Amino acid sequence: MLRQTRISSYIFNSPFISRDLSWIKFNERVFDQARHPGRNIFEKLKFLAITSSNQDEFFMIRVGSLYNYIDYGRERVDYSGLREIPFKRKLFADSQAFHAEQHEHFLKNLMPEFKENGFRIVKLDELEDYELKQVKRYFKKTIFPMITPMVYDSYHTFPILMNKLLIYGVITHNPSDKKEQRKLSFIQIPQNLPRFYEIERENELLFVPIENIICRFIAKFFRNVEILAVNLFRIIRNGDFTLEESEDIDNNFLEEIKQKLKTRKTGRVVRIEVEEGYDSWMMRLLKKRWTIDNDNVFEVSKQSLMDFTGLWQIIKHKEFADAVPTGHPPVPPLTYTQADRAENIFEVLKQKDILLHHPYNSIDPLLTLLEQSAEDPDVLAIKITIYRLADDSRIITALLKAAENGKHVSVLFELKARFDEENNMREAKRLQQAGCFVIYGISSFKTHTKLMLIVRKEGSKVRRYVHMSSGNYNEKTARLYTDVSLLTSHDKYANDVSEFFNVITGHSNPETYRYLITAPRDMRQQLIELIRQEAENARQGLPSAISIKINSLEDRETIQELYAASEAGVPVKLVVRGICCLRPGRAGLSENITVKSIVGDYLEHARLYYFHNGGEPLLYAGSADIMVRSFDRRLESLFQVLDPMVLKECLLILDYNLRDNTNSYILQEDGNYIKVQPAEGEEPFNVHQEFFRITNDDLENIHLFEEQLMEEEDEAAVEEEAQEVSSKTK
């Protein structure tokens, strides 16, 4: 306890918040949605399943990365100032506490709601005789033929146990052997079996966990031997490839990616979930085999459920389809009216820019533009960057059609999009076989930017149409993530985007872009210069302000510049959904900085950067967060918003995010978050509902930094007047 207190004190004294500890706080905010009294049981289970999936990925990637340092003997100092081993202890202690909180909530608060909602998760002892016969038949006909026990003893090597699967460790003794001789066998539950066996009753659905069925009949696999213990467990393996990634793209890059996908299945074990009451002999063997200790062992109550991601079978069950909210239907964009939609979209874009704010606005205008381009005989070329795709993607279908119609199609496909590598490789090959020019990433950089360029012959001229976005070309996530994207034919954008594609598909190296900020080239430095300009304005007594909405804030250099701006008197308002390593509200460091996180019905994904700029607002949008990886290891882009109407709408997005008092959490100096509640007499303001109701009138009623800027302008006016009086007196 004393050691934990010392570590916590050490962490608090750091000017930075640990990235990984901040991420755990983010997952707690997501888990908070599973406790929301206004959500029904299926929504609560959805958020519980999401946090479980998040936790798996966190251990695979972030904890896996930590073990890369530990296993390879590399030094690592966390932002909190802690070295590898003390930080590992703190990280696992917080993870263990979160794990316990999840299971306690599931048992005490969620399970009691099941029956009144028409379903239950049951044990075999709760079934009627005829239902038990059904289960036995299912085991005999389906489960038993699929399973192969794997023994580990002096004659058999230790088997490869798969990542994220439920596994039984079975300890047996052969009566003909010496009394102390034991053998350990493993039964892996195949991932292509449903998580639950379903039984329909007149008024309810019963879900029987598959591990309960296997446990009941496990003796069928071990005839004529004594079963000493049966232990259910699940492992998470290291899925981080940072140490192995090659920077040589010519060295059979595709094959390298395939090999890395294989190592994801056999990476070192970083966590084991195990049912309580496990056999100590088995655990000693596993801990020694995988070089783990008690920190890595997460116990699960026999009354609870191992792996909450299996709850998706219940959440998505057709019986409960009406119980899961489908969300508000999209509304027309303010910049794309009903009259506009009656016209050819090319003609509309000649006249104005179109801002799409997803999921409040549909992705259909973008799809319409791309599908029309594929068929339009005047379209000469399509260039696009792809990071993640939906299943049965209309984007891919349109690109294939365009290639079939003889158009030049260039696609930069990111093969290193985490957990989408296989799908991206498959789709990239389809495009390549259709005659598209496919680029598989750029050297050691991950292509995260979202850009599209369409070249069209119009009479004797050529016009270029551009799409720039903060989100992926994915129709599915466009209904779930909040993103902004711009459709335009503005030459100022087209020149920069054309140049950018020349860079990534060839060997061009432009001196500068006018309206794009790109990484890894100069994004960090340009953002820092914008922050410094606001700080200088504040020192000169001029109005200044910064507001940034991003997913993650982690880059140390940029954080230090925000601290300097705060000390200069710049009001800084940040909306950071997930990781935030900046410590707000610290005296003499960040007194003028506030940080809020919004977590609710939609996943906040848009990135917006606002700088007051002496009353001539500069606002950028795009794909990049303030992270080392975004600035140094990714191809990213931010575009300056030029159109006055689009600029107002982006300012309104920031304003509404700052006004939200329903989905918001305020980051405290100590790294904890406090849920925002409407003040007494204050109306609830839910940003995830308000954007479905906005009108053009709302664009004239934006209050971003209004009070602070008015005060600063008044002070500046008073100072100017005083100087004039002083000058006349002299």
Side-chain angles (χ1 to χ4, degrees):
M1 185 66 183
L2 184 61
R3 182 169 65 182
Q4 286 298 324
T5 302
R6 180 179 58 81
I7 288 175
S8 296
S9 174
Y10 193 85
I11 289 172
F12 178 73
N13 289 329
S14 169
F16 302 100
I17 296 172
S18 162
R19 167 183 172 159
D20 294 329
L21 299 181
S22 177
W23 184 91
I24 292 175
K25 295 295 182 184
F26 162 66
N27 210 28
E28 288 176 359
R29 298 194 294 281
V30 178
F31 178 61
D32 201 30
Q33 306 304 306
R35 293 183 286 225
H36 196 295
R39 299 192 183 280
N40 67 33
I41 186 62
F42 301 101
E43 292 178 282
K44 292 174 182 177
L45 291 178
K46 178 186 78 171
F47 282 104
L48 180 61
I50 289 171
T51 61
S52 184
S53 178
N54 287 349
Q55 195 80 343
D56 286 349
E57 183 175 339
F58 176 72
F59 270 83
M60 289 175 64
I61 305 304
R62 294 303 305 165
V63 179
S65 175
L66 175 61
Y67 269 101
N68 284 342
Y69 287 88
I70 294 171
D71 292 343
Y72 286 82
R74 296 173 63 188
E75 291 186 359
R76 178 187 188 273
V77 180
D78 184 72
Y79 272 25
S80 63
L82 292 176
R83 291 290 300 272
E84 314 89 57
I85 300 304
F87 180 71
K88 180 179 83 78
R89 293 194 189 105
K90 172 62 177 170
L91 187 66
F92 273 89
D94 286 7
S95 298
Q96 289 276 9
F98 178 71
H99 173 84
E101 192 177 6
Q102 281 181 304
H103 285 273
E104 181 181 22
H105 181 63
F106 178 73
L107 287 172
K108 291 186 176 180
N109 302 311
L110 300 185
M111 285 189 72
E113 293 187 38
F114 290 176
K115 187 173 178 60
E116 63 191 67
N117 284 279
F119 72 96
R120 283 187 297 140
I121 297 175
V122 299
K123 307 287 187 184
L124 292 179
D125 295 340
E126 300 175 64
L127 301 181
E128 303 290 344
D129 288 344
Y130 74 93
E131 293 168 336
L132 196 55
K133 287 180 181 179
Q134 292 176 27
V135 170
K136 189 173 183 179
R137 191 179 308 115
Y138 177 65
F139 174 82
K140 183 178 180 181
K141 298 291 186 182
T142 304
I143 299 176
F144 185 78
M146 293 181 66
I147 288 179
T148 303
M150 300 173 289
V151 67
Y152 170 58
D153 59 17
S154 55
Y155 300 102
H156 301 85
T157 58
F158 196 92
I160 296 176
L161 302 179
M162 303 303 287
N163 191 35
K164 300 198 292 186
L165 292 187
L166 295 177
I167 304 167
Y168 269 115
V170 184
I171 302 170
T172 58
H173 173 253
N174 192 325
S176 62
D177 293 337
K178 294 180 180 179
K179 187 175 181 180
E180 67 277 3
Q181 285 186 333
R182 292 172 286 184
K183 290 186 178 181
L184 177 60
S185 298
F186 300 101
I187 289 179
Q188 295 194 118
I189 301 178
Q191 61 184 353
N192 56 351
L193 281 173
R195 181 67 173 80
F196 301 100
Y197 179 73
E198 299 174 11
I199 296 175
E200 289 190 36
R201 286 185 179 173
E202 185 176 353
N203 297 316
E204 65 179 352
L205 263 175
L206 302 182
F207 292 91
V208 184
I210 191 169
E211 63 269 26
N212 293 166
I213 300 173
I214 293 172
C215 188
R216 171 64 67 93
F217 302 111
I218 205 161
K220 300 289 184 183
F221 299 102
F222 301 96
R223 299 182 185 277
N224 302 316
V225 295
E226 181 184 1
I227 296 176
L228 302 178
V230 178
N231 310 271
L232 181 69
F233 67 92
R234 178 176 179 265
I235 60 173
I236 297 296
R237 293 183 178 274
N238 181 3
D240 182 72
F241 306 133
T242 304
L243 291 179
E244 291 81 19
E245 282 184 357
S246 170
E247 295 186 3
D248 184 2
I249 194 170
D250 298 322
N251 187 19
N252 205 344
F253 188 63
L254 280 175
E255 193 59 35
E256 181 190 329
I257 294 293
K258 291 178 183 177
Q259 291 303 316
K260 286 176 170 49
L261 292 178
K262 291 178 182 177
T263 63
R264 181 171 287 163
K265 299 172 183 176
T266 58
R268 75 108 69 225
V269 172
V270 295
R271 187 183 78 189
I272 175 169
E273 292 174 275
V274 61
E275 203 168 65
E276 63 183 355
Y278 55 83
D279 183 85
S280 57
W281 175 77
M282 181 199 76
M283 187 54 67
R284 284 197 301 272
L285 189 152
L286 295 181
K287 287 198 288 189
K288 182 178 180 181
R289 177 78 194 183
W290 292 326
T291 322
I292 58 177
D293 55 34
N294 291 334
D295 287 343
N296 304 80
V297 180
F298 290 68
E299 288 192 39
V300 177
S301 166
K302 290 181 181 292
Q303 305 307 313
S304 190
L305 185 72
M306 191 174 294
D307 184 16
F308 290 130
T309 63
L311 292 169
W312 285 110
Q313 184 179 340
I314 300 173
I315 300 161
K316 294 185 175 182
H317 197 282
K318 60 183 180 181
E319 186 70 26
F320 311 122
D322 296 336
V324 180
T326 55
H328 196 291
V331 297
L334 295 180
T335 48
Y336 191 48
T337 65
Q338 188 68 39
D340 293 332
R341 292 194 293 280
E343 286 191 55
N344 182 299
I345 194 167
F346 290 114
E347 297 303 316
V348 176
L349 290 174
K350 289 178 189 177
Q351 308 302 320
K352 63 179 181 179
D353 294 350
I354 297 173
L355 180 74
L356 302 178
H357 186 197
H358 311 298
Y360 313 106
N361 307 143
S362 170
I363 196 175
D364 283 348
L366 166 64
L367 299 174
T368 297
L369 175 65
L370 189 54
E371 289 168 347
Q372 285 186 12
S373 299
E375 300 285 0
D376 189 330
D378 292 325
V379 169
L380 306 176
I382 301 173
K383 302 181 181 183
I384 190 171
T385 62
I386 292 178
Y387 189 69
R388 296 192 196 277
L389 289 165
D391 297 332
D392 301 319
S393 169
R394 286 171 62 183
I395 302 284
I396 292 294
T397 301
L399 294 174
L400 291 170
K401 176 61 71 173
E404 182 183 312
N405 289 337
K407 305 179 191 309
H408 174 79
V409 178
S410 296
V411 183
L412 197 158
F413 238 116
E414 182 47 69
L415 296 186
K416 292 178 286 187
R418 188 174 293 147
F419 306 120
D420 276 342
E421 300 98 335
E422 293 183 32
N423 182 57
N424 284 5
M425 279 194 289
R426 182 172 57 252
E427 297 299 334
K429 285 183 177 179
R430 285 180 64 200
L431 291 171
Q432 198 167 32
Q433 290 166 359
C436 301
F437 177 46
V438 178
I439 306 106
Y440 295 107
I442 303 296
S443 184
S444 59
F445 302 116
K446 181 179 285 189
T447 304
H448 192 249
T449 184
K450 284 82 179 181
L451 296 174
M452 182 175 71
L453 178 71
I454 295 168
V455 183
R456 188 172 188 255
K457 189 174 186 298
E458 297 177 356
S460 60
K461 298 181 179 180
V462 170
R463 186 182 292 270
R464 294 164 297 180
Y465 297 86
V466 171
H467 177 254
M468 303 174 287
S469 179
S470 67
N472 297 304
Y473 289 106
N474 185 320
E475 304 95 294
K476 181 180 178 182
T477 56
R479 298 192 295 270
L480 304 172
Y481 295 6
T482 72
D483 274 304
V484 291
S485 67
L486 187 71
L487 290 166
T488 180
S489 66
H490 205 308
D491 266 345
K492 291 180 178 178
Y493 291 127
N495 291 334
D496 280 358
V497 174
S498 292
E499 195 65 68
F500 187 79
F501 273 106
N502 290 339
V503 170
I504 62 180
T505 61
H507 296 283
S508 177
N509 188 19
E511 291 183 3
T512 185
Y513 297 104
R514 292 193 64 190
Y515 301 101
L516 284 184
I517 299 177
T518 63
R521 182 184 162 126
D522 51 12
M523 184 175 287
R524 177 190 285 110
Q525 194 56 41
Q526 286 200 42
L527 290 175
I528 284 175
E529 289 303 323
L530 289 167
I531 295 169
R532 286 176 177 171
Q533 185 58 57
E534 293 301 313
E536 181 59 28
N537 288 346
R539 282 190 285 268
Q540 296 294 328
L542 300 173
S544 61
I546 297 171
S547 183
I548 299 174
K549 179 190 182 315
I550 47 179
N551 301 336
S552 301
L553 173 55
E554 173 256 358
D555 182 69
R556 192 190 299 258
E557 289 182 51
T558 313
I559 291 173
Q560 288 172 330
E561 293 296 335
L562 289 170
Y563 286 157
S566 170
E567 290 185 76
V570 181
V572 181
K573 296 183 180 180
L574 306 175
V575 182
V576 186
R577 182 198 77 213
I579 298 163
C580 182
C581 298
L582 179 147
R583 195 181 293 281
R586 174 158 289 184
L589 181 70
S590 54
E591 291 166 282
N592 291 311
I593 302 178
T594 61
V595 181
K596 74 169 356 184
S597 170
I598 294 178
V599 180
D601 291 332
Y602 302 117
L603 183 118
E604 291 293 333
H605 197 248
R607 288 93 166 183
L608 295 169
Y609 296 76
Y610 161 83
F611 304 91
H612 181 64
N613 192 40
E616 297 292 333
L618 282 175
L619 193 142
Y620 291 84
S623 62
D625 291 309
I626 299 179
M627 302 189 75
V628 172
R629 71 183 187 191
S630 296
F631 293 159
D632 297 337
R633 299 197 293 273
R634 287 185 169 187
L635 291 181
E636 300 273 20
S637 64
L638 298 172
F639 59 91
Q640 184 182 343
V641 175
L642 301 175
D643 182 273
M645 177 83 164
V646 174
L647 177 61
K648 283 185 177 181
E649 191 170 348
C650 288
L651 291 173
L652 185 71
I653 292 171
L654 284 173
D655 185 27
Y656 274 23
N657 274 263
L658 292 170
R659 287 173 60 186
D660 178 89
N661 58 15
T662 304
N663 310 288
S664 297
Y665 299 78
I666 302 298
L667 175 59
Q668 307 299 297
E669 183 191 355
D670 63 2
N672 290 310
Y673 287 77
I674 294 178
K675 181 79 166 68
V676 175
Q677 301 291 347
E680 187 176 346
E682 183 183 21
E683 289 292 320
F685 191 90
N686 186 337
V687 72
H688 291 159
Q689 295 175 5
E690 293 296 329
F691 282 116
F692 288 113
R693 298 194 278 260
I694 65 168
T695 66
N696 285 308
D697 291 340
D698 294 309
L699 300 181
E700 307 304 322
N701 192 31
I702 299 170
H703 303 286
L704 190 65
F705 289 100
E706 186 177 77
E707 293 180 3
Q708 285 170 297
L709 292 173
M710 286 178 65
E711 287 176 6
E712 290 178 9
E713 287 170 357
D714 290 343
E715 289 173 4
V718 169
E719 178 65 25
E720 185 177 346
E721 185 177 342
Q723 288 178 355
E724 287 180 5
V725 171
S726 174
S727 176
K728 288 177 181 178
T729 302
K730 289 178 182 178

